[in-house]
Every structure is written in structure tokens, then in C-alpha cells.
Amino acid sequence: MKVSVLQYEPDYLAVAANLDRVESMLADLESDLLILPELFATGYFFRSTEDLQSVAEPVPDGPTTKRLHDWSRRLGCVIVAGVPELCSGRLFNSAVVVAPDGPIGRYRKLHLYYQEKLHFSPGNSGLPVFDVTDRTGVRYRLGVMVCFDWYYPETARSLALAGADVIAHPSNLVRPDCPRAMPIRALENHVFTATANRVGKETTGDETLEFIGQSLICSPDGDVLGRMDRDAIGLATVSIDPLVSRTRTVTPHNDLFADRRTDAYVL
Ligand code: ACM
């Protein structure tokens, strides 16, 4: 199957224009799984909670999830994308998962970064893993984490222990370290990872954040299968066999998960 990550620069709060731009970037896409960045249609560095409220929407009934589903149906592709979710008056930094047949779930970011804590509630939906199908009918298991979740190795580990073959990772990275860390998250859990980041800058007036691009897709052996440049705009696509993640033999005497010493760890 093919996995793709999209990297671009959204305009702050310009949801309709951002959706149109992403749609035009996807026109010729042939892929089974597409990852879009965190908060891909709204921008990230909210100047106020009112700004965030003005673009937050219910999931799955909001317009962005509906548009994602249109794309998924037309492309025959599962899509994971970051959306600001409004639920019972609370705001979550969420990622939705849509398949051609319809939306199949969402994940609410557990580990909020920096000023996200001023505006969002921390996730309360656990770490679900979704059963999905590629265009040839191969079923695989898809986990989702959002950006700063990478900093907590427990996140990727929990998804892998729950059976994820591929971890989709919508991001708005500003720290330089994640592109170095993701091959290790993939290796230490023997999963595929696909990080879709954005580029450009956003300012609140007082402070400016610069996003670091470098979207990347990693193999269960920790190899970087595809990586975009810091300022690149476009898509990176690689071919993978998602089910190779399931063989976790390290040596004839070592199995990655069976050998875990949960009796000795501090959790
Ligand atoms: C981040 O979690 N967006 C840095």
C-alpha cells in the first residue's frame, strides 16, 4: 500500500481557502493512507480562545470532517487530519480518521504543547486503534497521535501494544528534535510512523513560532523511507507492507514485546 504525507502552509483562520488549497494539492493523489498536519485547515498559534472557537467544529458532523470524507470517497483513501473539535462546550486538539465509507473515529491530543494549554482541554478519548483497509482489501491497524505526543514514548508504545501497524502523526512541529526521534519511535516499537508537518510562521503579535517542515515516514526498522525538506510544499508518498510490523523477533532469543520486563519498570 501507499502512504502519503502532505506538507503546506495554511493561512491563519482562513478555513475555506485552506480547504480549497489542500483539495487542489490532492487532485492527482493515488494513495491508500494520507496524513494531513495538525489543525491543518485553521492554523495553530491561536491569538485568543475566541479565535479558536470561531473555527472549532463538532466531529464528525462539522464541515471539515465532511470535506475530508468527500476527499476520502473520491480518492479511495483513508485520511487522518488534525481538526479543532468542539464538544459540549469544550475544545480539543483532535485528529479525525475518515475512510471512503465514512468517518471512523477521532483521537483527542493527550499531551498539549505550550500555549495550547490556554485554549484546549487535554484529550480524554484514550489511544484508540482503528481497523482500516487499503485499496486492495488488506486490513491493517491504524493508531493516531498528534505532534507533541511524540515526546512521550508511552504514546507510541501504547499504540503499538494495542496492535497499531502504522502510527499516523499529524503535527505542527516547532522543536528541532522530532525528526530525529521519529525513526527511534518506529524502531523501538517496530511500527511504521508517518508524520505530516506544516511550514511557515505564525505570530500572536508578541511571539512568533516557526514550523520546521521535514515531514517523514519511517519503517519498523527505523529507516527513513521518505522525508521532505524544511520549506517544501507538497506530498511525499512511499510504498509499505503494513503487516511486516507484526513480526517483532529481534534475535532467535528475543521478541521485542514478549521480553518486556513489566515487573521492573516504573510506570
Ligand atoms: C505541537 O505539539 N504542535 C508542538
Side-chain angles (χ1 to χ4, degrees), residues 40-61:
F40 82 98
T42 61
Y44 171 79
F45 201 23
F46 292 103
R47 293 170 201 165
S48 64
T49 303
E50 290 70 33
D51 272 8
L52 168 57
Q53 276 161 339
S54 75
V55 290
E57 50 184 85
V59 170
D61 296 324

Side-chain angles (χ1 to χ4, degrees), residues 163-197:
D165 301 304
V166 180
I167 296 177
H169 184 211
S171 294
N172 274 191
L173 298 166
V174 292
R175 304 175 62 90
D177 27 26
C178 181
R180 290 199 304 272
M182 287 315 292
I184 306 304
R185 293 289 167 275
L187 174 74
E188 69 199 0
N189 294 297
H190 206 258
V191 289
F192 292 93
T193 63
T195 301
N197 194 23

Side-chain angles (χ1 to χ4, degrees), residues 38-39 44 93 109 111-114 116 146-150 169-175 197 209 211:
E38 177 182 15
L39 300 169
Y44 171 79
N93 185 342
K109 185 176 184 178
H111 303 99
L112 298 176
Y113 182 71
Y114 192 43
E116 290 172 41
V146 173
C147 203
F148 193 51
D149 284 330
W150 75 268
H169 184 211
S171 294
N172 274 191
L173 298 166
V174 292
R175 304 175 62 90
N197 194 23
L209 293 182
F211 302 94

Side-chain angles (χ1 to χ4, degrees), residues 218-248:
C218 304
S219 79
D221 292 329
D223 294 324
V224 176
L225 302 176
R227 178 170 173 152
M228 300 181 74
D229 290 340
R230 189 180 171 100
D231 297 321
I233 289 180
L235 288 142
T237 298
V238 304
S239 293
I240 67 165
D241 173 356
L243 304 186
V244 302
S245 68
R246 296 184 184 183
T247 305
R248 291 197 162 88

